[in-house]
Amino acid sequence: MKPARTFYVSPSLPKALFPLQELAYNLRWSWNHETIDLFRRTDRDLWEKLYQNPVKLLGTIKQERLQEVVEDESIINQMVRCYDDFRQYLTDRTWFEAKHKENDPGFSAAYFSMEFGLTECLPVYSGGLGLLAGDHLKSASDLGVPLIGVGLLYTEGYFTQYLNLDGWQQEKYIDNDFYTMPLTRVEDAEGKPFFIHVEYPDGWCSAAVWKIDIGRNVLYLLDTNIPENQPAFRGITAQLYGGDLDMRMRQEILLGMGGIRMLFGLGHHPNVYHMNEGHSAFLALERIRMYMQEHGITFAEARSVVRASNVFTTHTPVPAGIDVFPPDMMDRYFANYYKSLGITRDRFLALGRKNHTDAGEGFCMAVLATRLAAFINGVSELHGEVSRKMWREIWPAVPLEEIPITHVTNGVHLYSWASKEMTDLLNRYLGPRALREPTNQDIWNRVDGLPAEELWRTHERRRERLVAFSRKRLRQQLIGRGAPPVEIERADEVLNPEALTIGFARRFATYKRATLLFRDVDRLVRILNDKERPVQFIMAGKAHPRDGGGKDLIRQLIHSARRPELRNRIVFLENYDIHMARYLIQGVDIWLNTPRRPMEASGTSGMKACVNAVLNFSILDGWWCEGYSVDNGWAIGHGEVYADEELQDQVESDAIYELLENEIVPAFYDRGADGLPRRWIEKMKNTLKNLCPVFNTDRMVKEYTNRFYINCSQRHDSLTADNCKLTREFTAWKQFIRANWDKIRISGIDSQLPEQPIVHEHYSVTARIELGELNASDVYVELIYGVLDAEGQITEPHKVKMEPVGDKKKGGVAFGAELACETSGRYGYTVRIMPTHPQLSDPFKMGLMHWA
């Protein structure tokens, strides 16, 4: 039934409770346990029923109860404490102010992501990518980094999962009511709804803008489900990762181009732009167009500015996971747009191609982001290596190890994922600075002084809560599935609150190998049903709606878990989300991860487990390659990569069984006279002490800021000063270098090496280089030397900058350097030349290189 008029009804709060409204609309409450407890105390049952949504709580709670709250001195005192703490948080001096504000007072960054996982009551996320984005914004707020989030607001979000009787995943989509969530509609200066507009082949689409306050920072989300749009456009922000390739194109145009227009329309002009995956890469094109229009500069000049101030983080270790649009689709959506950039179709499409001369190659969003970013990074050390191999075709002249893709290992926001019980324990013995300053190793070293009994009892309470939660959810699942009454009643008997509990929860994709555990069911049954030392698994996760292989893994798991001897030992919980994740990572004893190396880019669920002293048991992939130590968990295998996947599965499933039988289960059940598993607790302490200070988003955001953001900000400001004067000069220099690069020649190399050089002695090497029209200051000349392998290739090369040792004259310029060999053996050396300029972020970026 269509209404004649729409209007919004506000909660009617007594004046004494007005601070609750302000607290509810800033997500800082979501990582402050006392504020969460405050909302829970107003109406405990309603809080849980409304999925911990304080805005909806305040609009739903009965007026009689609100009056009782006003008269409850204890709740009022707690509200005052929470509100004062919140206001203090907003005004405290931050890390960024202390370190960078004075040197870069105009700094501001924009962070674009297809999804943001922030808290239970904002279901506009899918999984790890969104949760990382949410944690990134939270830590940026804690650190005081001025950062604006940009994303899309999905009417139906990601799907709600349920299973049919055969264990096959089904999906249903539930509409979000944005007016009862902790976000607000953005208005213009006149108090009217603010809109942005993007053009598609079938017309102009409008998008409303919503704002979420996240501590000191803000997240803007675009929404096309508005009456001003035709039905086809209203569905663009209906579902996260829904629809076909055409829908993905529309969403990514809206996110990238619409996001830039939104920022500028609201008066925000960040000088750094961070693309969290390639979905938002169209933002670079829109920035180029705007700079051309605003400053009257060319495409090449605008590209210099944009590229200098963009950061691109790739999360995908396989090409199949990246959006690639066919050329005819690009023509349909961008035929008019590339004309506005003043470039040809071929030049435009080359921006998204690894091989820019291949007319048949599709337009890859990751390639576009890579070509238009100053800094590109993977999300773990191993993923950085994988990414360099994936994208080496973009820099064919650059050696693999020097491809300009680095890594910043992911982290998690510790405040958001630590249980209240663990937070209280850490505050009591380490002090509140442990979670407030999570990168401070000295504070975490105090974990050694944690009383073993208190740490263990804290963890046992969380395991008991997890078992109770799992039983309740299982019962609800069985009722919803139409299971027989006898099966529903058995839900109260599954799991043992004192047994070794292992968690496995993640996206069900085939490479994550959720069924690796079931390759030898008889052996698994023996491990799980040991009467003296029982083991149990709690599993959860969604498959993408179009991933039949992932859905079949869930079905196989369900059928295996229905075996009578496994029924009480293995539980699969439907509809994995943030709420369930908290129970799991706070309550299990072991967090299991079984990806096929090297296909796990990072993985952050195991990091969330760490802050709750949960031990990891994982393939050496993603972050665990950096985090693993024999003192803090277990590794499956030794980092091998197999050509035969069947052999790999067999070897690694055997390793799982052997580690369970011979190490993990004995360590858990080896109890002293006091009933404590001392060896296990020592590993728990090592996990807290050694992993928490490293694998957190405070460290990660500091790293992005120190290594990338500040560099980008300063280069952006220098390039745009004086109506882009330096940009014009820098662009002209690059064009001059490219036009004259092929004229460079290395005419000779001389050295003072004797027939039998001696270890540690210094010997000079001189290269004479014909530069043509270039100057010595335009080039970076390197002497590269090192031990030779069996094929005569230099391994582990030493690199020394060669300096000009004479003026430019006929025969070129002489460049010299010294080498000194640290060990004996067979050595070799060579010389290479690259372009250099103060505004060139990396000598490899231009892809130009001359070798001797």
Side-chain angles (χ1 to χ4, degrees), residues 790-832:
E791 297 179 355
Q793 299 294 312
I794 297 174
T795 60
E796 299 182 9
H798 296 269
K799 300 168 188 173
V800 182
K801 182 182 180 182
M802 303 184 78
E803 300 286 357
V805 293
D807 294 331
K808 184 176 180 180
K809 52 190 175 182
K810 189 174 182 180
V813 178
F815 288 78
E818 289 188 341
L819 62 79
C821 301
E822 298 177 355
T823 62
S824 60
R826 188 169 69 126
Y827 276 76
Y829 69 76
T830 188
V831 171
R832 75 172 173 192

Short mmCIF file of all heavy atoms in Angstrom, two decimals, residues 790-832:
data_model
loop_
_atom_site.label_atom_id
_atom_site.label_comp_id
_atom_site.label_asym_id
_atom_site.label_seq_id
_atom_site.Cartn_x
_atom_site.Cartn_y
_atom_site.Cartn_z
N ALA A 790 74.17 -21.56 -9.94
CA ALA A 790 74.66 -22.55 -10.92
C ALA A 790 74.38 -22.12 -12.34
O ALA A 790 75.07 -22.55 -13.27
CB ALA A 790 74.02 -23.91 -10.64
N GLU A 791 73.36 -21.28 -12.53
CA GLU A 791 73.02 -20.81 -13.88
C GLU A 791 73.68 -19.48 -14.21
O GLU A 791 73.38 -18.86 -15.23
CB GLU A 791 71.50 -20.68 -14.00
CG GLU A 791 70.77 -22.02 -13.83
CD GLU A 791 69.26 -21.87 -13.93
OE1 GLU A 791 68.80 -20.71 -14.04
OE2 GLU A 791 68.57 -22.88 -13.90
N GLY A 792 74.57 -19.02 -13.35
CA GLY A 792 75.29 -17.78 -13.61
C GLY A 792 74.50 -16.53 -13.32
O GLY A 792 74.87 -15.44 -13.78
N GLN A 793 73.42 -16.63 -12.52
CA GLN A 793 72.60 -15.48 -12.16
C GLN A 793 73.00 -14.95 -10.79
O GLN A 793 73.33 -15.73 -9.89
CB GLN A 793 71.11 -15.87 -12.15
CG GLN A 793 70.59 -16.36 -13.50
CD GLN A 793 70.59 -15.27 -14.54
OE1 GLN A 793 70.14 -14.16 -14.30
NE2 GLN A 793 71.11 -15.60 -15.73
N ILE A 794 72.95 -13.61 -10.65
CA ILE A 794 73.29 -13.00 -9.36
C ILE A 794 72.17 -13.28 -8.36
O ILE A 794 71.00 -13.04 -8.64
CB ILE A 794 73.48 -11.48 -9.51
CG1 ILE A 794 74.65 -11.18 -10.43
CG2 ILE A 794 73.67 -10.82 -8.15
CD1 ILE A 794 74.81 -9.70 -10.74
N THR A 795 72.53 -13.80 -7.20
CA THR A 795 71.55 -14.07 -6.15
C THR A 795 71.80 -13.10 -4.99
O THR A 795 72.94 -12.71 -4.72
CB THR A 795 71.67 -15.52 -5.64
OG1 THR A 795 72.98 -15.73 -5.11
CG2 THR A 795 71.43 -16.51 -6.78
N GLU A 796 70.75 -12.75 -4.30
CA GLU A 796 70.83 -11.83 -3.16
C GLU A 796 71.73 -10.64 -3.49
O GLU A 796 72.77 -10.42 -2.86
CB GLU A 796 71.31 -12.54 -1.90
CG GLU A 796 70.39 -13.67 -1.47
CD GLU A 796 70.86 -14.35 -0.19
OE1 GLU A 796 71.81 -13.82 0.44
OE2 GLU A 796 70.30 -15.39 0.17
N PRO A 797 71.35 -9.87 -4.51
CA PRO A 797 72.23 -8.81 -5.00
C PRO A 797 72.45 -7.68 -4.01
O PRO A 797 71.55 -7.30 -3.27
CB PRO A 797 71.51 -8.32 -6.25
CG PRO A 797 70.07 -8.65 -6.02
CD PRO A 797 70.08 -9.94 -5.25
N HIS A 798 73.65 -7.14 -4.02
CA HIS A 798 73.96 -5.90 -3.32
C HIS A 798 73.80 -4.76 -4.34
O HIS A 798 74.24 -4.88 -5.49
CB HIS A 798 75.39 -5.91 -2.79
CG HIS A 798 75.64 -6.96 -1.76
ND1 HIS A 798 75.49 -6.75 -0.41
CD2 HIS A 798 76.03 -8.26 -1.89
CE1 HIS A 798 75.78 -7.85 0.25
NE2 HIS A 798 76.10 -8.79 -0.62
N LYS A 799 73.21 -3.65 -3.91
CA LYS A 799 72.96 -2.54 -4.83
C LYS A 799 73.60 -1.28 -4.26
O LYS A 799 73.38 -0.93 -3.11
CB LYS A 799 71.45 -2.32 -5.00
CG LYS A 799 70.74 -3.55 -5.56
CD LYS A 799 69.23 -3.42 -5.44
CE LYS A 799 68.56 -4.72 -5.82
NZ LYS A 799 67.11 -4.70 -5.54
N VAL A 800 74.40 -0.62 -5.10
CA VAL A 800 75.11 0.59 -4.69
C VAL A 800 74.85 1.68 -5.73
O VAL A 800 75.01 1.44 -6.94
CB VAL A 800 76.63 0.33 -4.57
CG1 VAL A 800 77.34 1.60 -4.10
CG2 VAL A 800 76.91 -0.83 -3.63
N LYS A 801 74.45 2.86 -5.27
CA LYS A 801 74.23 3.97 -6.19
C LYS A 801 75.57 4.44 -6.75
O LYS A 801 76.55 4.61 -6.02
CB LYS A 801 73.54 5.13 -5.47
CG LYS A 801 73.25 6.31 -6.39
CD LYS A 801 72.59 7.46 -5.64
CE LYS A 801 72.33 8.63 -6.59
NZ LYS A 801 71.74 9.79 -5.88
N MET A 802 75.60 4.62 -8.07
CA MET A 802 76.79 5.13 -8.74
C MET A 802 76.64 6.64 -8.95
O MET A 802 75.60 7.11 -9.44
CB MET A 802 77.00 4.42 -10.08
CG MET A 802 77.10 2.91 -9.95
SD MET A 802 77.47 2.08 -11.52
CE MET A 802 79.25 2.38 -11.64
N GLU A 803 77.65 7.38 -8.56
CA GLU A 803 77.61 8.84 -8.65
C GLU A 803 78.42 9.32 -9.85
O GLU A 803 79.42 8.70 -10.23
CB GLU A 803 78.19 9.46 -7.38
CG GLU A 803 77.48 9.09 -6.10
CD GLU A 803 76.13 9.78 -5.94
OE1 GLU A 803 75.77 10.60 -6.82
OE2 GLU A 803 75.44 9.49 -4.94
N PRO A 804 78.00 10.45 -10.45
CA PRO A 804 78.81 11.01 -11.55
C PRO A 804 80.21 11.38 -11.05
O PRO A 804 80.36 11.95 -9.97
CB PRO A 804 78.03 12.26 -11.95
CG PRO A 804 76.65 12.06 -11.42
CD PRO A 804 76.79 11.24 -10.18
N VAL A 805 81.21 11.03 -11.84
CA VAL A 805 82.59 11.32 -11.44
C VAL A 805 83.27 12.25 -12.45
O VAL A 805 84.49 12.42 -12.44
CB VAL A 805 83.42 10.02 -11.28
CG1 VAL A 805 82.91 9.22 -10.10
CG2 VAL A 805 83.38 9.18 -12.54
N GLY A 806 82.48 12.83 -13.33
CA GLY A 806 83.02 13.77 -14.31
C GLY A 806 81.90 14.49 -15.02
O GLY A 806 80.72 14.16 -14.86
N ASP A 807 82.26 15.51 -15.78
CA ASP A 807 81.25 16.26 -16.50
C ASP A 807 80.80 15.50 -17.74
O ASP A 807 81.50 14.61 -18.25
CB ASP A 807 81.83 17.61 -16.93
CG ASP A 807 82.13 18.49 -15.72
OD1 ASP A 807 81.43 18.33 -14.70
OD2 ASP A 807 83.07 19.31 -15.82
N LYS A 808 79.63 15.90 -18.25
CA LYS A 808 79.11 15.32 -19.48
C LYS A 808 79.98 15.79 -20.64
O LYS A 808 80.23 16.98 -20.82
CB LYS A 808 77.66 15.75 -19.68
CG LYS A 808 76.98 15.11 -20.88
CD LYS A 808 75.52 15.52 -20.93
CE LYS A 808 74.82 14.89 -22.12
NZ LYS A 808 73.39 15.28 -22.19
N LYS A 809 80.49 14.84 -21.43
CA LYS A 809 81.30 15.18 -22.60
C LYS A 809 81.16 14.09 -23.63
O LYS A 809 80.39 13.14 -23.44
CB LYS A 809 82.76 15.35 -22.19
CG LYS A 809 83.35 14.18 -21.40
CD LYS A 809 84.72 14.54 -20.84
CE LYS A 809 85.26 13.42 -19.96
NZ LYS A 809 86.57 13.76 -19.36
N LYS A 810 81.86 14.21 -24.71
CA LYS A 810 81.76 13.22 -25.77
C LYS A 810 82.14 11.86 -25.20
O LYS A 810 83.15 11.72 -24.52
CB LYS A 810 82.69 13.59 -26.93
CG LYS A 810 82.48 12.72 -28.15
CD LYS A 810 83.29 13.20 -29.33
CE LYS A 810 83.01 12.31 -30.54
NZ LYS A 810 83.79 12.76 -31.73
N GLY A 811 81.30 10.87 -25.48
CA GLY A 811 81.50 9.55 -24.90
C GLY A 811 80.67 9.33 -23.66
O GLY A 811 80.66 8.24 -23.10
N GLY A 812 79.96 10.38 -23.19
CA GLY A 812 79.01 10.21 -22.09
C GLY A 812 79.54 10.72 -20.76
O GLY A 812 80.52 11.46 -20.67
N VAL A 813 78.87 10.31 -19.71
CA VAL A 813 79.20 10.68 -18.34
C VAL A 813 79.70 9.44 -17.61
O VAL A 813 79.13 8.35 -17.74
CB VAL A 813 77.97 11.25 -17.61
CG1 VAL A 813 78.30 11.60 -16.17
CG2 VAL A 813 77.42 12.46 -18.34
N ALA A 814 80.75 9.60 -16.84
CA ALA A 814 81.27 8.48 -16.04
C ALA A 814 80.56 8.46 -14.69
O ALA A 814 80.45 9.50 -14.02
CB ALA A 814 82.78 8.63 -15.86
N PHE A 815 80.10 7.29 -14.31
CA PHE A 815 79.49 7.08 -13.00
C PHE A 815 80.32 6.04 -12.26
O PHE A 815 80.68 5.01 -12.85
CB PHE A 815 78.06 6.57 -13.14
CG PHE A 815 77.07 7.61 -13.61
CD1 PHE A 815 77.00 7.95 -14.96
CD2 PHE A 815 76.24 8.24 -12.72
CE1 PHE A 815 76.08 8.90 -15.40
CE2 PHE A 815 75.31 9.19 -13.15
CZ PHE A 815 75.24 9.53 -14.49
N GLY A 816 80.60 6.29 -10.98
CA GLY A 816 81.45 5.36 -10.25
C GLY A 816 80.87 4.94 -8.92
O GLY A 816 80.06 5.65 -8.31
N ALA A 817 81.33 3.78 -8.45
CA ALA A 817 80.95 3.25 -7.13
C ALA A 817 81.97 2.20 -6.73
O ALA A 817 82.81 1.79 -7.54
CB ALA A 817 79.55 2.65 -7.16
N GLU A 818 81.90 1.77 -5.48
CA GLU A 818 82.80 0.73 -4.99
C GLU A 818 82.01 -0.50 -4.61
O GLU A 818 80.87 -0.41 -4.15
CB GLU A 818 83.59 1.22 -3.78
CG GLU A 818 84.64 2.26 -4.10
CD GLU A 818 85.51 2.57 -2.90
OE1 GLU A 818 85.08 2.27 -1.77
OE2 GLU A 818 86.62 3.11 -3.10
N LEU A 819 82.64 -1.67 -4.79
CA LEU A 819 82.03 -2.90 -4.31
C LEU A 819 83.00 -3.55 -3.34
O LEU A 819 84.21 -3.37 -3.42
CB LEU A 819 81.67 -3.84 -5.46
CG LEU A 819 82.77 -4.39 -6.39
CD1 LEU A 819 83.52 -5.55 -5.75
CD2 LEU A 819 82.13 -4.88 -7.69
N ALA A 820 82.43 -4.30 -2.39
CA ALA A 820 83.22 -5.06 -1.42
C ALA A 820 82.49 -6.37 -1.17
O ALA A 820 81.32 -6.37 -0.76
CB ALA A 820 83.39 -4.29 -0.13
N CYS A 821 83.14 -7.49 -1.42
CA CYS A 821 82.51 -8.80 -1.28
C CYS A 821 82.67 -9.30 0.15
O CYS A 821 83.78 -9.32 0.69
CB CYS A 821 83.14 -9.79 -2.26
SG CYS A 821 82.97 -9.26 -3.98
N GLU A 822 81.57 -9.68 0.77
CA GLU A 822 81.58 -10.07 2.18
C GLU A 822 82.00 -11.52 2.40
O GLU A 822 82.39 -11.89 3.50
CB GLU A 822 80.19 -9.84 2.79
CG GLU A 822 79.78 -8.37 2.76
CD GLU A 822 78.37 -8.16 3.29
OE1 GLU A 822 77.70 -9.18 3.58
OE2 GLU A 822 77.94 -7.00 3.40
N THR A 823 81.86 -12.35 1.37
CA THR A 823 82.26 -13.75 1.47
C THR A 823 83.05 -14.13 0.23
O THR A 823 83.04 -13.42 -0.78
CB THR A 823 81.03 -14.67 1.59
OG1 THR A 823 80.23 -14.53 0.40
CG2 THR A 823 80.17 -14.32 2.80
N SER A 824 83.70 -15.26 0.29
CA SER A 824 84.40 -15.76 -0.88
C SER A 824 83.42 -16.48 -1.79
O SER A 824 82.30 -16.79 -1.40
CB SER A 824 85.52 -16.71 -0.45
OG SER A 824 84.98 -17.81 0.27
N GLY A 825 83.84 -16.76 -3.02
CA GLY A 825 82.99 -17.46 -3.96
C GLY A 825 83.01 -16.81 -5.33
O GLY A 825 83.80 -15.89 -5.60
N ARG A 826 82.12 -17.28 -6.19
CA ARG A 826 82.06 -16.76 -7.56
C ARG A 826 81.06 -15.61 -7.61
O ARG A 826 79.88 -15.78 -7.30
CB ARG A 826 81.63 -17.88 -8.52
CG ARG A 826 81.72 -17.47 -9.99
CD ARG A 826 81.54 -18.67 -10.90
NE ARG A 826 80.20 -19.19 -10.85
CZ ARG A 826 79.42 -19.38 -11.92
NH1 ARG A 826 79.87 -19.09 -13.13
NH2 ARG A 826 78.21 -19.88 -11.80
N TYR A 827 81.51 -14.45 -8.01
CA TYR A 827 80.70 -13.24 -8.02
C TYR A 827 80.52 -12.72 -9.45
O TYR A 827 81.25 -13.10 -10.37
CB TYR A 827 81.37 -12.13 -7.19
CG TYR A 827 81.09 -12.20 -5.72
CD1 TYR A 827 81.74 -13.14 -4.92
CD2 TYR A 827 80.21 -11.32 -5.11
CE1 TYR A 827 81.51 -13.20 -3.55
CE2 TYR A 827 79.98 -11.37 -3.75
CZ TYR A 827 80.63 -12.31 -2.97
OH TYR A 827 80.40 -12.36 -1.62
N GLY A 828 79.56 -11.84 -9.60
CA GLY A 828 79.38 -11.12 -10.85
C GLY A 828 78.80 -9.75 -10.55
O GLY A 828 78.29 -9.50 -9.45
N TYR A 829 78.95 -8.83 -11.51
CA TYR A 829 78.33 -7.52 -11.32
C TYR A 829 77.74 -7.04 -12.63
O TYR A 829 78.09 -7.52 -13.72
CB TYR A 829 79.31 -6.50 -10.75
CG TYR A 829 80.43 -6.06 -11.68
CD1 TYR A 829 80.19 -5.16 -12.73
CD2 TYR A 829 81.74 -6.51 -11.49
CE1 TYR A 829 81.21 -4.74 -13.56
CE2 TYR A 829 82.77 -6.09 -12.32
CZ TYR A 829 82.50 -5.22 -13.37
OH TYR A 829 83.52 -4.80 -14.20
N THR A 830 76.81 -6.10 -12.53
CA THR A 830 76.23 -5.45 -13.69
C THR A 830 75.84 -4.03 -13.30
O THR A 830 75.95 -3.64 -12.13
CB THR A 830 75.01 -6.23 -14.23
OG1 THR A 830 74.60 -5.67 -15.48
CG2 THR A 830 73.84 -6.20 -13.26
N VAL A 831 75.39 -3.27 -14.29
CA VAL A 831 74.98 -1.88 -14.06
C VAL A 831 73.60 -1.68 -14.68
O VAL A 831 73.32 -2.21 -15.76
CB VAL A 831 75.99 -0.90 -14.70
CG1 VAL A 831 75.47 0.54 -14.65
CG2 VAL A 831 77.34 -0.99 -13.99
N ARG A 832 72.77 -0.93 -14.00
CA ARG A 832 71.47 -0.57 -14.58
C ARG A 832 71.17 0.90 -14.36
O ARG A 832 71.70 1.52 -13.43
CB ARG A 832 70.34 -1.45 -14.03
CG ARG A 832 69.91 -1.11 -12.63
CD ARG A 832 68.67 -1.90 -12.26
NE ARG A 832 68.32 -1.72 -10.85
CZ ARG A 832 67.43 -2.46 -10.21
NH1 ARG A 832 66.79 -3.42 -10.85
NH2 ARG A 832 67.17 -2.23 -8.94
#
